[in-house]
Amino acid sequence: MFRVRGGRTEVLLIRRAPGRILPGLWQCVSGSLETGERVALGALRELQEETGFGPDAIEAFFDLDLVNQFHEPSVDGVVTAAVFAVRLAPEAEPTISAEHDAARWVPLNTAHVEVVWPGYRTALERIRDDLSDPGRAPWFALTLGGERAG
């Protein structure tokens, strides 16, 4: 989740609430697919559930051409996660769910330093290197229906 305000790219970080796995971790939106759900649409559903951002707040939706795999002890398995990005309207402000207890917009470079997981840092690098380049960004663009744009 990022926005551009005054020429500066800001990333929204949300903090995992107590009582959840990894409480206190500042992160991006994450989640699981529902049965039969398309991957891109699941990402948009999770975005809305965790931050309240729906179609009216989304300026662009991107497939980052990034799939992370990691071991998750809570399910005793390897999780595969497709990574997406949304550019939100400059005035967008979240309404966080009970899964999180705080949210804050931070400059892209600050987010890159603060996030723990390497996959998050890679996603932020894709925003910095690819989505901020007007010649590259269209190649990553999706419609809100999850199809390639243009």
Side-chain angles (χ1 to χ4, degrees):
M1 302 163 289
F2 70 101
R3 67 183 183 185
V4 179
R5 283 179 65 145
R8 182 175 97 161
T9 301
E10 299 175 322
V11 174
L12 182 66
L13 296 179
I14 50 181
R15 188 174 62 199
R16 293 179 71 90
R20 299 193 64 221
I21 298 169
L22 306 171
L25 178 74
W26 287 96
Q27 65 173 65
C28 306
V29 167
S30 62
S32 300
L33 290 174
E34 295 179 351
T35 302
E37 188 171 42
R38 293 185 60 212
V39 177
L41 298 182
L44 291 172
R45 176 188 49 75
E46 288 286 351
L47 174 74
Q48 187 151 21
E49 287 176 5
E50 295 186 19
T51 65
F53 293 132
D56 292 344
I58 299 172
E59 290 186 342
F61 180 40
F62 302 98
D63 179 343
L64 291 183
D65 192 32
L66 177 63
V67 177
N68 294 329
Q69 289 188 320
F70 55 92
H71 172 250
E72 177 49 57
S74 67
V75 296
D76 189 29
V78 175
V79 175
T80 301
V83 184
F84 299 89
V86 291
R87 186 180 67 235
L88 299 161
E91 69 280 358
E93 292 297 339
T95 303
I96 57 173
S97 71
E99 295 180 34
H100 301 91
D101 63 2
R104 60 191 173 101
W105 290 102
V106 297
L108 178 63
N109 291 338
T110 301
H112 191 270
V113 170
E114 290 186 11
V115 296
V116 172
W117 305 123
Y120 288 173
R121 286 193 299 278
T122 300
L124 294 172
E125 291 162 8
R126 300 264 170 112
I127 292 169
R128 180 194 68 207
D129 298 342
D130 298 314
L131 302 187
S132 61
D133 180 334
R136 289 184 184 183
W139 295 104
F140 296 86
L142 298 175
T143 68
L144 294 184
E147 304 295 330
R148 290 264 170 228

